[in-house]
Amino acid sequence: MAEEEEGTEEWYKLSTELHRFYGGKIEVLPKVPVRRLKDFAIWYTPGVAQPSRLISSDPDLSFELTSRWNTIAVVSDGTRVLGLGKVGPEAAYPVMEGKALLFKYLGGVDAVPIVHRARDAAKFVELLQLIEPSFGGINLEDIEKPKCFTILDEARSKLQIPVWHDDQQGTATAVLAGLINALKVVGKKLQDVRIVLFGAGASNVAFYRLLKALGHNMHNVVAVTTKGVLHPEMKDIDKLMLTDPYQYQIAIETGGGGLPPNSPIEKAFDGADVVIAASVPGPGVIRPEWVSRMNRDAVVFALANPVPEIWPSEARRAGARVVATGRSDFPNQVNNSLVFPAVFRGVLDVRARTITDTMAIAAAVELAKFAEERGGIGEDRILPTMEEWEVYPRVAAAVAVKAVEEGVARRTTTYREELERATEIIGTVRQKIQLLWGNGIIPKPPVDYQG
């Protein structure tokens, strides 16, 4: 652990130095030719008046005649940033900027960081409504719970562009994709397994919703929080209904997974096939003896960062066959960066009005399928890595087609058409970045590192 902490400090130091050197990570570049002053008569006045007139008559033309079709906002109030907590909007900006970089490089999506001080959920949603005309989609990021659930639900109902909370839907989609393949590895079916949700925050609440959409038997799910097992007869259940209606709903719908009220945490693991942990950094949050109480060929996802709830080696010794974490230095990283760039690529290309849970499921299925087809799956490989960039066009195509099927797209496409379109867009972005770097237009960093 001492070596890991020392290595982390080195990354902190290097990151700060490079952020200062480059003055941030993204910039705006023109995409049209500007060869002489007269070109502005087309791109600006007087020529620009005609696109404006057309859009005034039909606002949806803003998706065809402006960059809106490919531009999203990455929006945060800085109340729950990474593992840092409530650090404020200014401190959240580097993270939102980093997210914008991932959107562009992995999905070909232009993303604008927007941080703000609208802490009240209603004001937050109002802000999203006010800026809606500028964007083709909204990515919510790093918002404290339970406010994050309310904001997402309200915004999805009020805006006519896709609104996505990556800490919820992105992570939940990656978890589902990983679980699909993990269960294939151990020879079990999703509809048959007993699942422990260890933690009922943003990602696990969203994952619970995906399970419901899949028709999973919710009485075969047990959720554990700091309050204990969520149960209809738990202490302060009426108070929970007011303070966290989403956890209350899980308590009522699962019935505590059939456990007696006020059962100790370890009882949740009895006879479980799967644990999806998204709680607080460990180690020691999940005990090996709890994993030992699970069924044979157990699957354990310990997703807390920077340290998982239980070390993978401990989980394996305790009987888990497939173990996943949120870290890149262990096998089976469950990474929402495999999801959000592709999902937005797909919904932007068909000018979708929303992102449904079934669209997220389509993304998960395609992601799992890609991993199986490209190199096969096993105990140490249930998901592809971010370097396998061909996964992004495939997931984009699956999402776009599902949006068309569900009637939430403004334009139609086929899987093959979107696969070709997304491959071209993402591939072109990667080529541009390589050219800028190779030709020295992006300046060399002041320190040598393996980036």
Side-chain angles (χ1 to χ4, degrees):
M1 283 298 296
E3 291 181 1
E4 289 181 2
E5 290 175 0
E6 184 178 338
T8 299
E9 288 299 323
E10 286 298 315
W11 282 113
Y12 288 163
K13 180 180 178 182
L14 180 61
S15 180
T16 302
E17 185 174 351
L18 291 179
H19 275 76
R20 181 171 286 113
F21 175 78
Y22 284 107
K25 300 180 280 288
I26 60 173
E27 67 176 8
V28 176
L29 283 173
K31 60 190 294 187
V32 297
V34 180
R35 298 154 298 188
R36 54 185 180 172
L37 197 60
K38 284 187 177 180
D39 284 340
F40 290 113
I42 296 173
W43 309 129
Y44 197 49
T45 187
V48 74
Q50 184 58 18
S52 292
R53 289 191 190 99
L54 294 172
I55 293 170
S56 179
S57 300
D58 181 4
D60 275 357
L61 283 176
S62 62
F63 292 104
E64 308 299 327
L65 300 177
T66 77
S67 59
R68 183 187 183 192
W69 73 274
N70 195 49
T71 305
I72 69 167
V74 181
V75 187
S76 179
D77 60 1
T79 53
R80 194 182 184 278
V81 178
L82 291 176
L84 304 175
K86 189 179 292 188
V87 294
E90 291 86 356
Y93 193 93
V95 182
M96 303 311 112
E97 194 181 41
K99 199 82 170 190
L101 174 63
L102 290 172
F103 266 114
K104 186 65 173 180
Y105 186 73
L106 300 176
V109 175
D110 294 314
V112 178
I114 295 180
V115 294
H116 62 84
R117 297 190 178 91
R119 295 291 182 88
D120 177 74
K123 289 183 178 179
F124 198 129
V125 174
E126 182 184 9
L127 182 147
L128 299 180
Q129 291 178 282
L130 292 172
I131 66 173
E132 179 181 5
S134 291
F135 300 101
I138 302 286
N139 181 84
L140 301 172
E141 196 77 23
D142 293 348
I143 306 165
E144 63 189 349
K145 75 173 189 70
K147 181 173 68 176
C148 62
F149 304 123
T150 304
I151 291 170
L152 177 63
D153 289 346
E154 286 289 310
R156 289 173 82 179
S157 69
K158 293 180 177 180
L159 274 66
Q160 289 298 305
I161 57 174
V163 182
W164 169 273
H165 183 206
D166 198 46
D167 298 323
Q168 291 184 60
Q169 296 153 293
T171 303
T173 302
V175 167
L176 178 58
L179 183 57
I180 289 170
N181 281 343
L183 292 176
K184 284 184 179 180
V185 171
V186 301
K188 298 180 181 181
K189 295 181 179 180
L190 181 60
Q191 63 264 33
D192 298 332
V193 295
R194 183 169 175 82
I195 300 174
V196 177
L197 300 180
F198 195 89
S203 62
N204 264 354
V205 169
F207 179 65
Y208 177 83
R209 287 183 175 183
L210 295 186
L211 289 177
K212 284 179 62 177
L214 285 165
H216 190 77
N217 178 8
M218 304 320 292
H219 288 281
N220 228 2
V221 175
V222 55
V224 178
T225 72
T226 54
K227 307 173 186 69
V229 173
L230 294 182
H231 194 285
E233 299 177 39
M234 66 186 291
K235 182 182 178 183
D236 293 333
I237 185 67
D238 292 337
K239 181 179 178 182
L240 185 65
M241 179 172 59
L242 299 174
T243 59
D244 197 323
Y246 298 91
Q247 288 189 8
Y248 173 83
Q249 182 183 22
I250 293 174
I252 299 301
E253 293 179 349
T254 62
L259 295 175
N262 304 313
S263 295
I265 291 176
E266 58 266 26
K267 288 291 291 182
F269 290 76
D270 287 351
D273 300 285
V274 175
V275 171
I276 307 297
S279 57
V280 295
V285 176
I286 293 178
R287 300 174 186 173
E289 56 265 30
W290 297 351
V291 176
S292 299
R293 302 170 76 120
M294 298 176 67
N295 284 338
R296 189 171 181 175
D297 294 327
V299 173
V300 175
F301 285 16
L303 304 180
N305 274 315
V307 180
E309 290 89 347
I310 181 172
W311 290 117
S313 57
E314 290 182 321
R316 288 184 181 275
R317 285 196 297 268
R321 186 171 163 196
V322 177
V323 183
T325 71
R327 289 172 50 144
S328 60
D329 53 348
F330 293 125
N332 298 329
Q333 182 188 22
V334 177
N335 188 350
N336 58 6
S337 294
L338 291 168
V339 177
F340 65 82
V343 168
F344 271 93
R345 178 74 278 135
V347 298
L348 289 171
D349 286 340
V350 295
R351 319 297 192 252
R353 293 179 174 85
T354 189
I355 303 172
T356 64
D357 288 341
T358 44
M359 288 163 66
I361 291 170
V365 170
E366 190 73 13
L367 183 55
K369 185 179 177 183
F370 178 92
E372 187 173 16
E373 292 176 354
R374 296 291 186 94
I377 57 175
E379 293 179 7
D380 288 336
R381 177 181 160 83
I382 57 174
L383 287 169
T385 68
M386 290 167 59
E387 292 179 335
E388 298 173 75
W389 78 270
E390 296 86 356
V391 69
Y392 295 99
R394 281 189 48 172
V395 173
V399 171
V401 168
K402 181 59 69 173
V404 173
E405 289 176 0
E406 297 191 343
V408 298
R410 291 179 172 89
R411 61 188 293 184
T412 61
T413 192
T414 66
Y415 181 93
R416 180 163 294 280
E417 287 171 347
E418 176 55 20
L419 181 63
E420 292 176 355
R421 182 185 299 113
T423 299
E424 180 181 0
I425 291 173
I426 299 171
T428 299
V429 168
R430 296 171 69 90
Q431 290 175 2
K432 285 180 179 178
I433 293 174
Q434 289 169 4
L435 285 172
L436 290 172
W437 173 253
N439 291 328
I441 298 171
I442 296 177
K444 305 298 184 199
V447 291
D448 185 26
Y449 76 103
Q450 297 299 312

